[in-house]
Amino acid sequence: MVNAIIVEPQDNVVVAIEPIKKGETVTYMCAGEQKTITALEDITIYHKLAACDIKKGEPIVKYGEHIGLAARDIKQGEHVHTHNLEEHRENLEAKG
């Protein structure tokens, strides 16, 4: 049963569409293919978890957009939230 979603194939986080308990299988569709991972922590509905291992400093990608950087290494299936994600804003004025 699908219990998470991923919007864009390049996303490295999935969003829980129901509460998920530590150790449960997380199932989602990506580019027409069913994928599964194991939750390493309890995940609240609508919160993110890593679809793959994410190294410190790498961008967190949700809905095809960079939403921040990994503040530390994040393991596949781990909760992704303010404790391990740091805000990162591009300097758009410098590109003008």
Side-chain angles (χ1 to χ4, degrees):
M1 168 192 270
V2 173
N3 56 2
I5 61 168
I6 193 166
V7 174
E8 298 293 336
Q10 70 267 26
D11 291 357
N12 59 7
V13 295
V14 297
V15 178
I17 56 173
E18 62 184 46
I20 299 170
K21 295 287 185 194
K22 178 181 180 178
E24 285 185 348
T25 299
V26 178
T27 304
Y28 61 97
M29 299 298 293
C30 182
E33 182 181 338
Q34 183 172 299
K35 297 194 173 197
T36 61
I37 57 177
T38 301
L40 298 182
E41 304 173 69
D42 290 345
I43 308 294
T44 304
I45 189 170
Y46 307 129
H47 278 231
K48 301 172 293 302
L49 60 155
C52 58
D53 290 343
I54 304 169
K55 296 286 185 193
K56 179 180 179 176
E58 288 184 346
I60 305 295
V61 183
K62 177 183 173 187
Y63 305 148
E65 300 290 331
H66 290 204
I67 62 167
L69 300 174
R72 61 171 177 77
D73 289 349
I74 304 170
K75 293 181 182 175
Q76 180 185 54
E78 192 175 344
H79 188 206
V80 177
H81 201 54
T82 56
H83 67 287
N84 57 10
L85 179 144
E86 55 188 39
E87 185 176 329
H88 174 75
R89 293 185 171 264
E90 294 181 29
N91 185 353
L92 299 177
E93 292 178 19
K95 293 182 180 182

